PDB file of all heavy atoms in Angstrom:
ATOM      1  N   VAL A1424     -11.525 -18.307   8.433  1.00 94.00           N
ATOM      2  CA  VAL A1424     -12.767 -18.449   9.191  1.00 94.00           C
ATOM      3  C   VAL A1424     -13.844 -17.565   8.586  1.00 94.00           C
ATOM      4  O   VAL A1424     -14.993 -17.994   8.380  1.00 94.00           O
ATOM      5  CB  VAL A1424     -12.553 -18.090  10.678  1.00 94.00           C
ATOM      6  CG1 VAL A1424     -13.887 -18.031  11.416  1.00 94.00           C
ATOM      7  CG2 VAL A1424     -11.649 -19.120  11.349  1.00 94.00           C
ATOM      8  N   ARG A1425     -13.488 -16.314   8.280  1.00 93.00           N
ATOM      9  CA  ARG A1425     -14.452 -15.384   7.693  1.00 93.00           C
ATOM     10  C   ARG A1425     -14.977 -15.911   6.359  1.00 93.00           C
ATOM     11  O   ARG A1425     -16.184 -15.918   6.104  1.00 93.00           O
ATOM     12  CB  ARG A1425     -13.801 -14.024   7.499  1.00 93.00           C
ATOM     13  CG  ARG A1425     -14.774 -12.935   7.044  1.00 93.00           C
ATOM     14  CD  ARG A1425     -14.063 -11.655   6.666  1.00 93.00           C
ATOM     15  NE  ARG A1425     -13.141 -11.219   7.702  1.00 93.00           N
ATOM     16  CZ  ARG A1425     -11.823 -11.108   7.518  1.00 93.00           C
ATOM     17  NH1 ARG A1425     -11.286 -11.429   6.357  1.00 93.00           N
ATOM     18  NH2 ARG A1425     -11.065 -10.684   8.497  1.00 93.00           N
ATOM     19  N   GLU A1426     -14.067 -16.380   5.509  1.00 94.00           N
ATOM     20  CA  GLU A1426     -14.472 -16.868   4.186  1.00 94.00           C
ATOM     21  C   GLU A1426     -15.302 -18.143   4.293  1.00 94.00           C
ATOM     22  O   GLU A1426     -16.302 -18.303   3.577  1.00 94.00           O
ATOM     23  CB  GLU A1426     -13.228 -17.121   3.329  1.00 94.00           C
ATOM     24  CG  GLU A1426     -12.480 -15.844   2.948  1.00 94.00           C
ATOM     25  CD  GLU A1426     -11.176 -16.132   2.217  1.00 94.00           C
ATOM     26  OE1 GLU A1426     -10.829 -17.340   2.072  1.00 94.00           O
ATOM     27  OE2 GLU A1426     -10.500 -15.172   1.813  1.00 94.00           O
ATOM     28  N   SER A1427     -14.905 -19.053   5.175  1.00 94.00           N
ATOM     29  CA  SER A1427     -15.626 -20.322   5.308  1.00 94.00           C
ATOM     30  C   SER A1427     -17.030 -20.106   5.850  1.00 94.00           C
ATOM     31  O   SER A1427     -18.000 -20.708   5.373  1.00 94.00           O
ATOM     32  CB  SER A1427     -14.859 -21.284   6.217  1.00 94.00           C
ATOM     33  OG  SER A1427     -13.642 -21.689   5.618  1.00 94.00           O
ATOM     34  N   LEU A1428     -17.170 -19.245   6.863  1.00 92.00           N
ATOM     35  CA  LEU A1428     -18.491 -18.989   7.418  1.00 92.00           C
ATOM     36  C   LEU A1428     -19.375 -18.234   6.436  1.00 92.00           C
ATOM     37  O   LEU A1428     -20.591 -18.453   6.393  1.00 92.00           O
ATOM     38  CB  LEU A1428     -18.375 -18.216   8.729  1.00 92.00           C
ATOM     39  CG  LEU A1428     -17.799 -19.011   9.911  1.00 92.00           C
ATOM     40  CD1 LEU A1428     -17.731 -18.139  11.151  1.00 92.00           C
ATOM     41  CD2 LEU A1428     -18.625 -20.262  10.191  1.00 92.00           C
ATOM     42  N   ARG A1429     -18.763 -17.359   5.622  1.00 92.00           N
ATOM     43  CA  ARG A1429     -19.541 -16.674   4.585  1.00 92.00           C
ATOM     44  C   ARG A1429     -20.062 -17.683   3.565  1.00 92.00           C
ATOM     45  O   ARG A1429     -21.226 -17.644   3.161  1.00 92.00           O
ATOM     46  CB  ARG A1429     -18.680 -15.621   3.897  1.00 92.00           C
ATOM     47  CG  ARG A1429     -19.452 -14.777   2.871  1.00 92.00           C
ATOM     48  CD  ARG A1429     -18.543 -13.812   2.156  1.00 92.00           C
ATOM     49  NE  ARG A1429     -17.929 -12.880   3.092  1.00 92.00           N
ATOM     50  CZ  ARG A1429     -16.610 -12.684   3.201  1.00 92.00           C
ATOM     51  NH1 ARG A1429     -15.778 -13.387   2.448  1.00 92.00           N
ATOM     52  NH2 ARG A1429     -16.136 -11.813   4.054  1.00 92.00           N
ATOM     53  N   GLU A1430     -19.191 -18.610   3.164  1.00 95.00           N
ATOM     54  CA  GLU A1430     -19.610 -19.640   2.211  1.00 95.00           C
ATOM     55  C   GLU A1430     -20.664 -20.554   2.824  1.00 95.00           C
ATOM     56  O   GLU A1430     -21.646 -20.915   2.169  1.00 95.00           O
ATOM     57  CB  GLU A1430     -18.402 -20.468   1.765  1.00 95.00           C
ATOM     58  CG  GLU A1430     -18.745 -21.584   0.800  1.00 95.00           C
ATOM     59  CD  GLU A1430     -17.527 -22.402   0.410  1.00 95.00           C
ATOM     60  OE1 GLU A1430     -16.386 -21.945   0.656  1.00 95.00           O
ATOM     61  OE2 GLU A1430     -17.710 -23.504  -0.138  1.00 95.00           O
ATOM     62  N   LEU A1431     -20.470 -20.916   4.076  1.00 93.00           N
ATOM     63  CA  LEU A1431     -21.430 -21.782   4.756  1.00 93.00           C
ATOM     64  C   LEU A1431     -22.790 -21.092   4.876  1.00 93.00           C
ATOM     65  O   LEU A1431     -23.842 -21.723   4.676  1.00 93.00           O
ATOM     66  CB  LEU A1431     -20.893 -22.149   6.143  1.00 93.00           C
ATOM     67  CG  LEU A1431     -21.624 -23.231   6.926  1.00 93.00           C
ATOM     68  CD1 LEU A1431     -21.725 -24.523   6.135  1.00 93.00           C
ATOM     69  CD2 LEU A1431     -20.912 -23.480   8.252  1.00 93.00           C
ATOM     70  N   ASN A1432     -22.779 -19.819   5.172  1.00 91.00           N
ATOM     71  CA  ASN A1432     -24.035 -19.071   5.265  1.00 91.00           C
ATOM     72  C   ASN A1432     -24.753 -19.031   3.912  1.00 91.00           C
ATOM     73  O   ASN A1432     -25.983 -19.154   3.843  1.00 91.00           O
ATOM     74  CB  ASN A1432     -23.756 -17.657   5.759  1.00 91.00           C
ATOM     75  CG  ASN A1432     -25.023 -16.858   5.962  1.00 91.00           C
ATOM     76  OD1 ASN A1432     -25.846 -17.156   6.814  1.00 91.00           O
ATOM     77  ND2 ASN A1432     -25.204 -15.813   5.159  1.00 91.00           N
ATOM     78  N   ARG A1433     -23.987 -18.878   2.840  1.00 94.00           N
ATOM     79  CA  ARG A1433     -24.590 -18.872   1.508  1.00 94.00           C
ATOM     80  C   ARG A1433     -25.244 -20.210   1.196  1.00 94.00           C
ATOM     81  O   ARG A1433     -26.364 -20.266   0.681  1.00 94.00           O
ATOM     82  CB  ARG A1433     -23.533 -18.544   0.447  1.00 94.00           C
ATOM     83  CG  ARG A1433     -24.060 -18.563  -0.989  1.00 94.00           C
ATOM     84  CD  ARG A1433     -22.968 -18.216  -1.972  1.00 94.00           C
ATOM     85  NE  ARG A1433     -21.858 -19.144  -1.890  1.00 94.00           N
ATOM     86  CZ  ARG A1433     -21.845 -20.347  -2.461  1.00 94.00           C
ATOM     87  NH1 ARG A1433     -22.916 -20.783  -3.131  1.00 94.00           N
ATOM     88  NH2 ARG A1433     -20.787 -21.128  -2.364  1.00 94.00           N
ATOM     89  N   LEU A1434     -24.567 -21.301   1.548  1.00 95.00           N
ATOM     90  CA  LEU A1434     -25.126 -22.634   1.297  1.00 95.00           C
ATOM     91  C   LEU A1434     -26.387 -22.852   2.132  1.00 95.00           C
ATOM     92  O   LEU A1434     -27.347 -23.476   1.664  1.00 95.00           O
ATOM     93  CB  LEU A1434     -24.080 -23.703   1.616  1.00 95.00           C
ATOM     94  CG  LEU A1434     -22.860 -23.747   0.693  1.00 95.00           C
ATOM     95  CD1 LEU A1434     -21.810 -24.716   1.231  1.00 95.00           C
ATOM     96  CD2 LEU A1434     -23.261 -24.164  -0.723  1.00 95.00           C
ATOM     97  N   GLU A1435     -26.368 -22.365   3.352  1.00 92.00           N
ATOM     98  CA  GLU A1435     -27.549 -22.508   4.203  1.00 92.00           C
ATOM     99  C   GLU A1435     -28.728 -21.708   3.646  1.00 92.00           C
ATOM    100  O   GLU A1435     -29.865 -22.176   3.683  1.00 92.00           O
ATOM    101  CB  GLU A1435     -27.215 -22.050   5.623  1.00 92.00           C
ATOM    102  CG  GLU A1435     -26.246 -22.982   6.346  1.00 92.00           C
ATOM    103  CD  GLU A1435     -25.825 -22.457   7.701  1.00 92.00           C
ATOM    104  OE1 GLU A1435     -26.189 -21.295   8.021  1.00 92.00           O
ATOM    105  OE2 GLU A1435     -25.136 -23.181   8.445  1.00 92.00           O
ATOM    106  N   GLN A1436     -28.450 -20.511   3.141  1.00 92.00           N
ATOM    107  CA  GLN A1436     -29.514 -19.706   2.546  1.00 92.00           C
ATOM    108  C   GLN A1436     -30.122 -20.389   1.323  1.00 92.00           C
ATOM    109  O   GLN A1436     -31.315 -20.239   1.036  1.00 92.00           O
ATOM    110  CB  GLN A1436     -28.969 -18.327   2.153  1.00 92.00           C
ATOM    111  CG  GLN A1436     -28.540 -17.461   3.326  1.00 92.00           C
ATOM    112  CD  GLN A1436     -29.701 -17.108   4.243  1.00 92.00           C
ATOM    113  OE1 GLN A1436     -30.814 -16.865   3.798  1.00 92.00           O
ATOM    114  NE2 GLN A1436     -29.441 -17.095   5.548  1.00 92.00           N
ATOM    115  N   GLU A1437     -29.305 -21.161   0.605  1.00 94.00           N
ATOM    116  CA  GLU A1437     -29.776 -21.898  -0.568  1.00 94.00           C
ATOM    117  C   GLU A1437     -30.448 -23.211  -0.194  1.00 94.00           C
ATOM    118  O   GLU A1437     -30.921 -23.931  -1.064  1.00 94.00           O
ATOM    119  CB  GLU A1437     -28.600 -22.189  -1.508  1.00 94.00           C
ATOM    120  CG  GLU A1437     -27.931 -20.942  -2.090  1.00 94.00           C
ATOM    121  CD  GLU A1437     -26.654 -21.282  -2.847  1.00 94.00           C
ATOM    122  OE1 GLU A1437     -26.281 -22.490  -2.871  1.00 94.00           O
ATOM    123  OE2 GLU A1437     -26.037 -20.367  -3.397  1.00 94.00           O
ATOM    124  N   ASN A1438     -30.470 -23.532   1.115  1.00 94.00           N
ATOM    125  CA  ASN A1438     -30.988 -24.815   1.598  1.00 94.00           C
ATOM    126  C   ASN A1438     -30.267 -25.975   0.899  1.00 94.00           C
ATOM    127  O   ASN A1438     -30.890 -26.923   0.407  1.00 94.00           O
ATOM    128  CB  ASN A1438     -32.500 -24.918   1.366  1.00 94.00           C
ATOM    129  CG  ASN A1438     -33.153 -25.966   2.250  1.00 94.00           C
ATOM    130  OD1 ASN A1438     -32.731 -26.183   3.389  1.00 94.00           O
ATOM    131  ND2 ASN A1438     -34.155 -26.654   1.725  1.00 94.00           N
ATOM    132  N   CYS A1439     -28.943 -25.888   0.888  1.00 95.00           N
ATOM    133  CA  CYS A1439     -28.107 -26.855   0.162  1.00 95.00           C
ATOM    134  C   CYS A1439     -28.374 -28.277   0.659  1.00 95.00           C
ATOM    135  O   CYS A1439     -28.278 -28.555   1.859  1.00 95.00           O
ATOM    136  CB  CYS A1439     -26.641 -26.503   0.351  1.00 95.00           C
ATOM    137  SG  CYS A1439     -25.504 -27.661  -0.443  1.00 95.00           S
ATOM    138  N   PRO A1440     -28.683 -29.219  -0.258  1.00 95.00           N
ATOM    139  CA  PRO A1440     -28.969 -30.597   0.159  1.00 95.00           C
ATOM    140  C   PRO A1440     -27.730 -31.478   0.268  1.00 95.00           C
ATOM    141  O   PRO A1440     -27.846 -32.661   0.571  1.00 95.00           O
ATOM    142  CB  PRO A1440     -29.877 -31.100  -0.969  1.00 95.00           C
ATOM    143  CG  PRO A1440     -29.371 -30.377  -2.180  1.00 95.00           C
ATOM    144  CD  PRO A1440     -28.941 -29.021  -1.696  1.00 95.00           C
ATOM    145  N   SER A1441     -26.541 -30.922   0.039  1.00 94.00           N
ATOM    146  CA  SER A1441     -25.314 -31.716   0.032  1.00 94.00           C
ATOM    147  C   SER A1441     -24.605 -31.642   1.378  1.00 94.00           C
ATOM    148  O   SER A1441     -24.188 -30.555   1.810  1.00 94.00           O
ATOM    149  CB  SER A1441     -24.369 -31.217  -1.069  1.00 94.00           C
ATOM    150  OG  SER A1441     -23.104 -31.827  -0.962  1.00 94.00           O
ATOM    151  N   LEU A1442     -24.464 -32.791   2.029  1.00 93.00           N
ATOM    152  CA  LEU A1442     -23.693 -32.842   3.271  1.00 93.00           C
ATOM    153  C   LEU A1442     -22.231 -32.503   3.016  1.00 93.00           C
ATOM    154  O   LEU A1442     -21.593 -31.811   3.814  1.00 93.00           O
ATOM    155  CB  LEU A1442     -23.777 -34.234   3.895  1.00 93.00           C
ATOM    156  CG  LEU A1442     -25.010 -34.601   4.721  1.00 93.00           C
ATOM    157  CD1 LEU A1442     -24.879 -36.034   5.195  1.00 93.00           C
ATOM    158  CD2 LEU A1442     -25.184 -33.669   5.895  1.00 93.00           C
ATOM    159  N   ASP A1443     -21.690 -32.984   1.906  1.00 94.00           N
ATOM    160  CA  ASP A1443     -20.266 -32.792   1.633  1.00 94.00           C
ATOM    161  C   ASP A1443     -19.918 -31.326   1.447  1.00 94.00           C
ATOM    162  O   ASP A1443     -18.894 -30.859   1.951  1.00 94.00           O
ATOM    163  CB  ASP A1443     -19.863 -33.579   0.380  1.00 94.00           C
ATOM    164  CG  ASP A1443     -19.696 -35.060   0.665  1.00 94.00           C
ATOM    165  OD1 ASP A1443     -19.457 -35.419   1.828  1.00 94.00           O
ATOM    166  OD2 ASP A1443     -19.797 -35.855  -0.278  1.00 94.00           O
ATOM    167  N   ARG A1444     -20.738 -30.580   0.738  1.00 95.00           N
ATOM    168  CA  ARG A1444     -20.418 -29.179   0.477  1.00 95.00           C
ATOM    169  C   ARG A1444     -20.447 -28.349   1.756  1.00 95.00           C
ATOM    170  O   ARG A1444     -19.564 -27.534   1.999  1.00 95.00           O
ATOM    171  CB  ARG A1444     -21.380 -28.597  -0.550  1.00 95.00           C
ATOM    172  CG  ARG A1444     -21.197 -29.133  -1.964  1.00 95.00           C
ATOM    173  CD  ARG A1444     -22.184 -28.487  -2.917  1.00 95.00           C
ATOM    174  NE  ARG A1444     -21.932 -27.054  -3.046  1.00 95.00           N
ATOM    175  CZ  ARG A1444     -22.769 -26.203  -3.644  1.00 95.00           C
ATOM    176  NH1 ARG A1444     -23.932 -26.644  -4.120  1.00 95.00           N
ATOM    177  NH2 ARG A1444     -22.467 -24.920  -3.741  1.00 95.00           N
ATOM    178  N   THR A1445     -21.465 -28.551   2.568  1.00 96.00           N
ATOM    179  CA  THR A1445     -21.555 -27.774   3.802  1.00 96.00           C
ATOM    180  C   THR A1445     -20.484 -28.203   4.810  1.00 96.00           C
ATOM    181  O   THR A1445     -19.824 -27.361   5.422  1.00 96.00           O
ATOM    182  CB  THR A1445     -22.950 -27.916   4.432  1.00 96.00           C
ATOM    183  OG1 THR A1445     -23.292 -29.309   4.514  1.00 96.00           O
ATOM    184  CG2 THR A1445     -23.993 -27.201   3.593  1.00 96.00           C
ATOM    185  N   ALA A1446     -20.291 -29.516   4.959  1.00 96.00           N
ATOM    186  CA  ALA A1446     -19.273 -29.999   5.905  1.00 96.00           C
ATOM    187  C   ALA A1446     -17.879 -29.601   5.456  1.00 96.00           C
ATOM    188  O   ALA A1446     -17.003 -29.315   6.283  1.00 96.00           O
ATOM    189  CB  ALA A1446     -19.375 -31.512   6.052  1.00 96.00           C
ATOM    190  N   ASP A1447     -17.659 -29.553   4.137  1.00 96.00           N
ATOM    191  CA  ASP A1447     -16.348 -29.148   3.620  1.00 96.00           C
ATOM    192  C   ASP A1447     -16.025 -27.710   3.997  1.00 96.00           C
ATOM    193  O   ASP A1447     -14.874 -27.396   4.312  1.00 96.00           O
ATOM    194  CB  ASP A1447     -16.337 -29.309   2.096  1.00 96.00           C
ATOM    195  CG  ASP A1447     -15.059 -28.764   1.473  1.00 96.00           C
ATOM    196  OD1 ASP A1447     -14.008 -29.403   1.625  1.00 96.00           O
ATOM    197  OD2 ASP A1447     -15.122 -27.681   0.833  1.00 96.00           O
ATOM    198  N   SER A1448     -17.028 -26.837   3.986  1.00 94.00           N
ATOM    199  CA  SER A1448     -16.786 -25.439   4.347  1.00 94.00           C
ATOM    200  C   SER A1448     -16.274 -25.320   5.775  1.00 94.00           C
ATOM    201  O   SER A1448     -15.315 -24.586   6.051  1.00 94.00           O
ATOM    202  CB  SER A1448     -18.072 -24.622   4.183  1.00 94.00           C
ATOM    203  OG  SER A1448     -18.494 -24.605   2.842  1.00 94.00           O
ATOM    204  N   PHE A1449     -16.890 -26.050   6.701  1.00 94.00           N
ATOM    205  CA  PHE A1449     -16.437 -25.994   8.086  1.00 94.00           C
ATOM    206  C   PHE A1449     -15.106 -26.729   8.255  1.00 94.00           C
ATOM    207  O   PHE A1449     -14.244 -26.301   9.032  1.00 94.00           O
ATOM    208  CB  PHE A1449     -17.475 -26.588   9.029  1.00 94.00           C
ATOM    209  CG  PHE A1449     -17.151 -26.374  10.474  1.00 94.00           C
ATOM    210  CD1 PHE A1449     -17.504 -25.190  11.107  1.00 94.00           C
ATOM    211  CD2 PHE A1449     -16.451 -27.325  11.207  1.00 94.00           C
ATOM    212  CE1 PHE A1449     -17.184 -24.970  12.442  1.00 94.00           C
ATOM    213  CE2 PHE A1449     -16.121 -27.124  12.536  1.00 94.00           C
ATOM    214  CZ  PHE A1449     -16.497 -25.935  13.156  1.00 94.00           C
ATOM    215  N   ALA A1450     -14.918 -27.822   7.532  1.00 96.00           N
ATOM    216  CA  ALA A1450     -13.673 -28.582   7.648  1.00 96.00           C
ATOM    217  C   ALA A1450     -12.475 -27.742   7.225  1.00 96.00           C
ATOM    218  O   ALA A1450     -11.414 -27.781   7.859  1.00 96.00           O
ATOM    219  CB  ALA A1450     -13.766 -29.848   6.789  1.00 96.00           C
ATOM    220  N   ARG A1451     -12.623 -26.955   6.163  1.00 96.00           N
ATOM    221  CA  ARG A1451     -11.529 -26.097   5.715  1.00 96.00           C
ATOM    222  C   ARG A1451     -11.246 -24.992   6.719  1.00 96.00           C
ATOM    223  O   ARG A1451     -10.104 -24.529   6.836  1.00 96.00           O
ATOM    224  CB  ARG A1451     -11.847 -25.511   4.342  1.00 96.00           C
ATOM    225  CG  ARG A1451     -11.687 -26.526   3.217  1.00 96.00           C
ATOM    226  CD  ARG A1451     -11.843 -25.930   1.840  1.00 96.00           C
ATOM    227  NE  ARG A1451     -13.233 -25.686   1.509  1.00 96.00           N
ATOM    228  CZ  ARG A1451     -13.791 -24.493   1.461  1.00 96.00           C
ATOM    229  NH1 ARG A1451     -13.078 -23.410   1.713  1.00 96.00           N
ATOM    230  NH2 ARG A1451     -15.065 -24.349   1.134  1.00 96.00           N
ATOM    231  N   LEU A1452     -12.270 -24.572   7.423  1.00 93.00           N
ATOM    232  CA  LEU A1452     -12.089 -23.585   8.496  1.00 93.00           C
ATOM    233  C   LEU A1452     -11.142 -24.139   9.561  1.00 93.00           C
ATOM    234  O   LEU A1452     -10.167 -23.496   9.939  1.00 93.00           O
ATOM    235  CB  LEU A1452     -13.453 -23.250   9.080  1.00 93.00           C
ATOM    236  CG  LEU A1452     -13.590 -22.283  10.258  1.00 93.00           C
ATOM    237  CD1 LEU A1452     -15.014 -21.754  10.294  1.00 93.00           C
ATOM    238  CD2 LEU A1452     -13.276 -22.956  11.599  1.00 93.00           C
ATOM    239  N   LEU A1453     -11.423 -25.334  10.050  1.00 95.00           N
ATOM    240  CA  LEU A1453     -10.588 -25.914  11.097  1.00 95.00           C
ATOM    241  C   LEU A1453      -9.214 -26.307  10.563  1.00 95.00           C
ATOM    242  O   LEU A1453      -8.211 -26.215  11.269  1.00 95.00           O
ATOM    243  CB  LEU A1453     -11.281 -27.125  11.716  1.00 95.00           C
ATOM    244  CG  LEU A1453     -10.640 -27.672  12.996  1.00 95.00           C
ATOM    245  CD1 LEU A1453     -10.549 -26.597  14.064  1.00 95.00           C
ATOM    246  CD2 LEU A1453     -11.429 -28.865  13.524  1.00 95.00           C
ATOM    247  N   GLN A1454      -9.171 -26.727   9.318  1.00 96.00           N
ATOM    248  CA  GLN A1454      -7.895 -27.082   8.697  1.00 96.00           C
ATOM    249  C   GLN A1454      -6.913 -25.910   8.727  1.00 96.00           C
ATOM    250  O   GLN A1454      -5.700 -26.103   8.831  1.00 96.00           O
ATOM    251  CB  GLN A1454      -8.135 -27.516   7.252  1.00 96.00           C
ATOM    252  CG  GLN A1454      -6.910 -28.053   6.528  1.00 96.00           C
ATOM    253  CD  GLN A1454      -7.263 -28.476   5.109  1.00 96.00           C
ATOM    254  OE1 GLN A1454      -8.014 -27.793   4.408  1.00 96.00           O
ATOM    255  NE2 GLN A1454      -6.739 -29.615   4.687  1.00 96.00           N
ATOM    256  N   ALA A1455      -7.435 -24.691   8.647  1.00 95.00           N
ATOM    257  CA  ALA A1455      -6.582 -23.502   8.634  1.00 95.00           C
ATOM    258  C   ALA A1455      -5.843 -23.300   9.950  1.00 95.00           C
ATOM    259  O   ALA A1455      -4.907 -22.493  10.020  1.00 95.00           O
ATOM    260  CB  ALA A1455      -7.418 -22.266   8.318  1.00 95.00           C
ATOM    261  N   ALA A1456      -6.228 -24.025  11.007  1.00 95.00           N
ATOM    262  CA  ALA A1456      -5.532 -23.911  12.288  1.00 95.00           C
ATOM    263  C   ALA A1456      -4.195 -24.636  12.286  1.00 95.00           C
ATOM    264  O   ALA A1456      -3.394 -24.466  13.209  1.00 95.00           O
ATOM    265  CB  ALA A1456      -6.411 -24.461  13.412  1.00 95.00           C
ATOM    266  N   ALA A1457      -3.930 -25.447  11.261  1.00 94.00           N
ATOM    267  CA  ALA A1457      -2.678 -26.203  11.179  1.00 94.00           C
ATOM    268  C   ALA A1457      -1.543 -25.304  10.702  1.00 94.00           C
ATOM    269  O   ALA A1457      -1.776 -24.304  10.010  1.00 94.00           O
ATOM    270  CB  ALA A1457      -2.842 -27.376  10.215  1.00 94.00           C
ATOM    271  N   PRO A1458      -0.295 -25.633  11.050  1.00 90.00           N
ATOM    272  CA  PRO A1458       0.841 -24.910  10.476  1.00 90.00           C
ATOM    273  C   PRO A1458       0.794 -24.967   8.954  1.00 90.00           C
ATOM    274  O   PRO A1458       0.287 -25.924   8.372  1.00 90.00           O
ATOM    275  CB  PRO A1458       2.051 -25.669  11.027  1.00 90.00           C
ATOM    276  CG  PRO A1458       1.554 -26.360  12.256  1.00 90.00           C
ATOM    277  CD  PRO A1458       0.114 -26.686  11.993  1.00 90.00           C
ATOM    278  N   SER A1459       1.332 -23.949   8.314  1.00 82.00           N
ATOM    279  CA  SER A1459       1.149 -23.804   6.870  1.00 82.00           C
ATOM    280  C   SER A1459       2.194 -24.506   6.020  1.00 82.00           C
ATOM    281  O   SER A1459       2.062 -24.539   4.799  1.00 82.00           O
ATOM    282  CB  SER A1459       1.131 -22.312   6.502  1.00 82.00           C
ATOM    283  OG  SER A1459       2.343 -21.684   6.913  1.00 82.00           O
ATOM    284  N   ASP A1460       3.242 -25.053   6.637  1.00 82.00           N
ATOM    285  CA  ASP A1460       4.279 -25.663   5.806  1.00 82.00           C
ATOM    286  C   ASP A1460       4.887 -26.876   6.509  1.00 82.00           C
ATOM    287  O   ASP A1460       4.650 -27.128   7.688  1.00 82.00           O
ATOM    288  CB  ASP A1460       5.369 -24.639   5.470  1.00 82.00           C
ATOM    289  CG  ASP A1460       5.977 -24.011   6.718  1.00 82.00           C
ATOM    290  OD1 ASP A1460       5.583 -24.398   7.841  1.00 82.00           O
ATOM    291  OD2 ASP A1460       6.845 -23.144   6.580  1.00 82.00           O
TER     292      ASP A1460
END
């Protein structure tokens, strides 16, 4: 969560025009809630 939100904040500061890059950052955050194996 910490890493994904840090990355998302960086993309927002850059005014990133890519939906995929920003949405991917949050998607990986939620993905981490799944069991690991």
Side-chain angles (χ1 to χ4, degrees):
V1424 171
R1425 187 188 309 118
E1426 292 174 356
S1427 293
L1428 290 180
R1429 185 184 299 126
E1430 179 181 345
L1431 190 56
N1432 184 66
R1433 178 179 59 80
L1434 293 172
E1435 291 175 353
Q1436 294 297 322
E1437 297 172 358
N1438 200 34
C1439 178
S1441 171
L1442 279 178
D1443 282 337
R1444 290 181 65 191
T1445 50
D1447 174 73
S1448 297
F1449 188 84
R1451 285 187 283 107
L1452 178 159
L1453 191 57
Q1454 186 179 42
S1459 58
D1460 56 2

